């Protein structure tokens, strides 16, 4: 035997020995961190994107955007005032009149296809930036958000030259300049839901991203430049509520599309009502996930987890109220608790993370305050015991059980990883409980019986109803609410309709 071979053999022997030893010692193990490594260029300072160029704000003021996972500053952003909004609206009006509304649908479509392809090419970079700025796990921004963003541009590009078929027998024309205001929970996806149909229909836009998460919108501005989109068709202005209010109040804006809290939605509707702007509103929710005894329980447990813990519960259509048929309550809760213990909370850029950082300090405080209030109101409170990172905004998944239907956690939108659980005995009781809310955005039904699913779905007052799944999205499918969850639809043919005038 050569020396080399003997060495190899001894090595193998020691390895086997140590593996045997390790097996008896280390029954538990932790994944090594696997951080997404794509490099993203973030400038120190960003102006607004107006008329195809980045320009410094007239206010001369800037604010910080931070990484919620460690509290560190990422960049300075323009704090825009009404003069900046005015500049953006003027650029959008000019582009609308002189160019965009004059192009044929197929020419507009080409730009949208080009944007969609660039988004696909730069998807890793966009996903990392979305996660850095907003705190959502990389596996969600990479596998859910950014692919859907590209899909919405591809899908709406297809409408651009088919608008003659949008409303059978009628001609349609664009509305003009659209003001779009979006929240921090799906920053780039909400941008796509709004910009893609608006542009396909021949409108130009001024979009204000949420102050917490503007970076991917500013990257999108770079993508518009790269695609050679005519100047002024897309304008991005950054700032907080006052900037949004200036856009709502602007006299030369023809439509406002808003996604965000119900309170601000109502305020915007009141203010825009004084002008003749068209409005679409996508607001909050307190959606019910209904589990019948005949459901595939393991599958339902996965759906419950996806319904409320996906994206830290920062989801307007989150399945935040779980209704379980009484006979299977103990079984579902046992399996649910076991599954919740497996949720990995931590560094958003780690590929193994299931639940990332809460988007802002303010949101973390809101969740903590509501949970404290819930604990005072009684019932059972159970939270996963896990070690949370010491820096940044983190909150462990939890649930409340056996609270009254009038309790805070059962009624208010927490917008965090907090589940409210109650039971029912008959389908009618489940329907009544599910509908007992001011909201009406989504619902989930879990049952092996198709007829029961259809019967229950037809009686639920919710815009989106999932059967034996939850939180699944598609660009071809309309999304929107009933009651205080808003009006108007986004996605599908329905999502293009609010961006046209029917002649
Ligand atoms: P928000 O409704 O204040 O913010 C959404 C967007 O509206 C942001 O771009 C913001 O700058 C803008 N905005 C704020 N005030 C405005 C005004 N007066 N005029 C025009 N635009 C204005 O939501 P916020 O404060 O970030 O979150 C508060 C709560 O709202 C959350 O805790 C959550 O419960 C809920 N929320 C619901 C969302 C949904 O998709 N249903 C999204 C974000 C928040
Ligand atoms: Mg706010």
């Amino acid at each position: 035997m050569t020396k080399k071979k003997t060495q190899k053999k001894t090595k193998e022997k020691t390895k086997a020995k140590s593996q045997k030893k390790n097996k008896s010692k280390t029954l538990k193990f932790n994944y090594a961190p696997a951080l997404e490594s794509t490099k993203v260029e973030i400038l120190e300072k960003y102006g607004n994107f107006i008329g195809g160029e980045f320009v410094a704000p007239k206010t001369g003021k800037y604010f910080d955007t931070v990484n919620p996972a460690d509290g560190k500053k990422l960049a300075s952003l323009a704090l825009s005032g009404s003069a900046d909004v005015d500049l953006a609206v003027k650029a959008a009006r000019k582009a609308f009149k002189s160019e965009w509304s004059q192009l044929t649908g197929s020419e507009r479509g080409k730009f949208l296809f080009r944007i969609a392809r660039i988004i696909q090419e730069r998807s890793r970079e966009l996903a990392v930036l979305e996660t850095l700025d907003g705190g959502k796990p990389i596996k969600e921004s990479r596998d859910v958000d950014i692919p859907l963003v590209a899909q919405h541009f591809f899908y709406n590009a297809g409408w651009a030259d088919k608008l003659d078929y949008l409303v059978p027998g009628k001609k349609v024309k664009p509305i003009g300049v659209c003001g779009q205001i979006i929240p921090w929970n799906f920053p780039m996806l909400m941008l796509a839901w709004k910009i893609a149909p608006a542009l396909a229909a021949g409108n130009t836009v001024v979009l204000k991203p949420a102050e917490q998460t503007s970076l991917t919108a500013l990257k999108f501005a770079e993508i518009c430049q790269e695609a050679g989109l005519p100047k002024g068709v897309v304008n991005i202005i950054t700032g907080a509520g006052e900037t949004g209010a200036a856009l709502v109040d602007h006299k030369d804006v023809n439509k406002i599309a808003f996604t965000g809290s119900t309170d601000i939605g109502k305020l915007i509707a009141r203010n825009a009502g004084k002008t003749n702007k068209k409005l679409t509103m996508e607001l909050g929710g307190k959606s019910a996930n209904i589990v019948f005894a005949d459901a595939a329980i393991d599958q339902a447990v996965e759906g419950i987890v996806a319904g409320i813990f996906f994206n830290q519960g920062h989801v307007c259509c989150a399945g935040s109220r779980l209704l379980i048929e009484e006979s299977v309550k103990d079984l579902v809760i046992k399996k649910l608790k076991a599954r919740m213990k497996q949720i990995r909370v931590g560094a958003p850029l780690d590929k193994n993370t299931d639940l990332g950082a809460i988007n802002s300090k303010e949101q973390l405080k809101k969740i903590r305050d509501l949970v404290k209030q819930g604990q005072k109101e009684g019932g059972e409170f159970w939270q996963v015991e896990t070690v949370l990172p010491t820096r940044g905004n983190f909150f462990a998944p939890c649930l409340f059980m056996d609270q009254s239907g009038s309790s805070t956690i059962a009624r208010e939108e927490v917008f965090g990883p907090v589940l409210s659980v109650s039971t029912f005995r008959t389908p009618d009781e489940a329907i009544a409980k599910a509908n007992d809310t001011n909201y009406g955005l989504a619902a989930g039904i879990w049952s092996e019986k198709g007829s029961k699913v259809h019967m229950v779905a037809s009686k639920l007052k919710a815009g989106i109803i999932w059967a034996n799944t939850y939180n699944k999205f598609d660009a071809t499918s309309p999304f929107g609410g009933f009651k205080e969850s808003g009006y108007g639809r986004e996605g599908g043919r329905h999502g293009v309709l609010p961006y046209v005038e029917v002649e």
Side-chain angles (χ1 to χ4, degrees), residues 71-282:
K72 285 189 189 149
K73 176 180 167 180
L74 292 167
S76 299
L77 308 179
L79 185 60
S80 314
S82 47
D84 301 296
V85 170
D86 187 48
L87 214 59
V89 174
K90 284 201 171 106
R93 177 61 61 194
K94 191 172 160 216
F96 176 71
K97 269 196 194 153
S98 65
E99 202 159 359
W100 197 243
S101 62
Q102 310 296 317
L103 288 182
T104 61
S106 61
E107 285 302 315
R108 284 199 308 272
K110 280 185 201 168
F111 282 108
L112 290 174
F113 277 123
R114 201 177 293 164
I115 289 172
R117 283 195 298 270
I118 300 173
I119 288 167
Q120 282 188 322
E121 281 160 17
R122 296 176 65 171
S123 60
R124 271 300 168 96
E125 176 194 353
L126 293 168
V128 170
L129 190 59
E130 198 74 310
T131 286
L132 277 173
D133 202 18
K136 66 174 67 196
I138 186 70
K139 71 175 174 195
E140 279 172 20
S141 44
R142 187 194 58 197
D143 301 343
V144 182
D145 292 57
I146 305 300
L148 279 170
V149 170
Q151 196 201 25
H152 275 268
F153 278 96
F154 277 121
Y155 174 76
N156 283 287
W159 270 116
D161 63 352
K162 297 174 195 71
L163 294 172
D164 286 348
Y165 310 98
L166 188 68
V167 184
K170 305 260 183 191
K171 285 250 178 260
V172 298
K173 60 176 192 187
I175 299 172
V177 175
C178 302
Q180 306 181 318
I181 301 170
I182 56 173
W184 41 261
N185 53 344
F186 289 90
M188 204 170 177
L189 186 57
M190 291 302 104
L191 172 151
W193 281 22
K194 292 196 165 40
I195 291 186
L199 263 48
N203 305 281
T204 56
V205 305
V206 177
L207 177 127
K208 194 202 80 63
E211 55 272 34
Q212 299 85 348
T213 53
S214 303
L215 287 178
T216 44
L218 294 163
K219 257 308 163 216
F220 179 77
E222 289 174 20
I223 291 174
C224 293
Q225 286 178 325
E226 196 181 329
L229 188 72
K231 291 179 176 183
V233 172
V234 167
N235 304 275
I236 312 270
I237 46 161
T238 54
E242 280 182 27
T243 314
L247 185 57
V248 172
D249 290 343
H250 199 289
K251 295 206 166 51
D252 201 28
V253 170
N254 305 103
K255 178 202 161 73
I256 291 288
F258 174 78
T259 299
S261 62
T262 298
D263 286 349
I264 299 295
K266 284 181 181 169
L267 182 75
I268 289 178
R270 272 201 300 277
N271 290 340
K274 292 177 201 150
T275 65
N276 66 356
K277 291 185 181 78
K278 285 180 179 287
L279 277 182
T280 39
M281 293 274 159
E282 204 262 280

Side-chain angles (χ1 to χ4, degrees), residues 435-496:
N435 286 337
D436 179 21
T437 165
N438 293 337
Y439 296 109
L441 195 50
I445 306 168
W446 298 85
S447 165
E448 293 284 86
K449 285 206 174 67
S451 56
K452 193 194 275 177
V453 170
H454 281 286
M455 185 278 286
V456 174
S458 70
K459 292 183 177 173
L460 291 177
K461 293 189 180 69
I464 307 109
I465 298 175
W466 286 288
N468 295 322
T469 188
Y470 206 93
N471 269 343
K472 291 276 184 271
F473 308 95
D474 193 277
T476 64
S477 174
F479 186 101
F482 279 49
K483 300 193 274 186
E484 290 196 8
S485 292
Y487 40 84
R489 292 292 178 267
E490 296 188 298
R493 186 181 77 90
H494 299 74
V496 187

